[in-house]
Amino acid sequence: MSQKNVAILISGGGSNMVSLLESMAGDHPARPCLVLSNNADAGGLAKAAAAGVATAVVDHRPFHGDREAFEAELVKPIIKAGADIVCLAGFMRVLTAGFVSQFEGRMLNIHPSLLPKYKGLHTHARALEAGDTEHGCTVHEVTPLLDDGPLLGQARVLVKPGDTPDGLAARVLEQEHKLYPAVLRRFAAGDKTPVVLG
Ligand code: GRF
């Protein structure tokens, strides 16, 4: 199987992106071709450049909420880079069905909850408020419905007494950095068997 090219979309620090970049080496069936952000100040851009990966920025703000117009620009560097797979990694813009459909079956996202629980934001606080004894993260295929596509992997984290949202988030993030690379390696090899950690 030929090597897959992977574009990674970020909005912030990009710690998941870094984990993915570091994993794509040796006999891994994929290589990074682009790190793209909607935020010119995203800390992950410098990390990607330092790793020798091409970067691009398409700022969403000039489009004043016109999602389709923003996405028509956002898709250009992804196509230009020849991406076979798109990984959303801390990318904080909601994507329209039109954009998602261009990458049906080859766009992944990591979400900090055990989906289908806690779609959307503030997942750690919601899990604590609910008194959950376990929490975690999920990698899923991206489909038009937010945080809803087929599951490709999950990692579980035990909730500890006295956990704060930030403390729990930090432990979940550690698992994200293990889960996403494991899922991408399997997915790039054409294997959609879910990865289960913890
Ligand atoms: C992480 O919690 C991830 O689950 C969510 O974005 C957060 C930041 O990720 N999608 P990163 O450090 O920018 O990769």
Side-chain angles (χ1 to χ4, degrees):
M1 180 181 288
S2 64
Q3 215 164 48
K4 302 288 187 197
N5 291 320
V6 176
I8 306 172
L9 273 57
I10 65 170
S11 295
S15 71
N16 276 290
M17 174 272 298
V18 169
S19 300
L20 292 174
L21 292 191
E22 290 173 349
S23 74
M24 286 186 264
D27 65 349
H28 191 297
R31 288 295 185 274
C33 64
L34 175 70
V35 171
L36 171 61
S37 183
N38 62 299
N39 171 13
D41 299 327
L45 290 168
K47 297 170 191 171
V53 178
T55 63
V57 174
V58 178
D59 189 338
H60 64 278
R61 290 171 303 181
F63 298 94
H64 302 299
D66 182 342
R67 291 186 190 282
E68 286 74 10
F70 164 60
E71 292 172 353
E73 290 306 311
L74 186 72
V75 75
K76 290 177 183 171
I78 298 171
I79 303 299
K80 185 161 176 273
D84 301 300
I85 296 170
V86 177
C87 288
L88 306 181
F91 187 69
M92 302 310 276
R93 304 301 299 169
V94 172
L95 296 166
T96 67
F99 184 90
V100 169
S101 61
Q102 298 173 77
F103 301 101
E104 193 83 42
R106 57 197 184 100
M107 182 151 61
L108 281 58
N109 180 48
I110 188 155
H111 180 76
S113 79
L114 293 176
L115 290 174
K117 294 181 82 170
Y118 311 127
K119 297 178 182 179
L121 299 174
H122 312 301
T123 62
H124 312 296
R126 290 158 64 192
L128 291 172
E129 280 156 25
D132 291 356
T133 54
E134 66 173 26
H135 184 43
C137 51
T138 303
V139 176
H140 63 95
E141 280 189 45
V142 177
T143 55
L145 282 179
L146 185 70
D147 299 332
D148 190 71
L151 301 190
L152 294 171
Q154 288 200 316
R156 293 181 187 291
V157 169
L158 287 180
V159 177
K160 293 177 179 172
D163 252 338
T164 62
D166 285 352
L168 184 54
R171 293 208 310 281
V172 170
L173 195 59
E174 281 175 25
Q175 293 304 311
E176 293 177 31
H177 298 161
K178 296 173 184 164
L179 180 67
Y180 214 167
V183 169
L184 177 60
R185 185 184 183 106
R186 199 174 278 190
F187 187 84
D191 179 357
K192 293 191 178 185
T193 312
V195 174
V196 179
L197 302 180

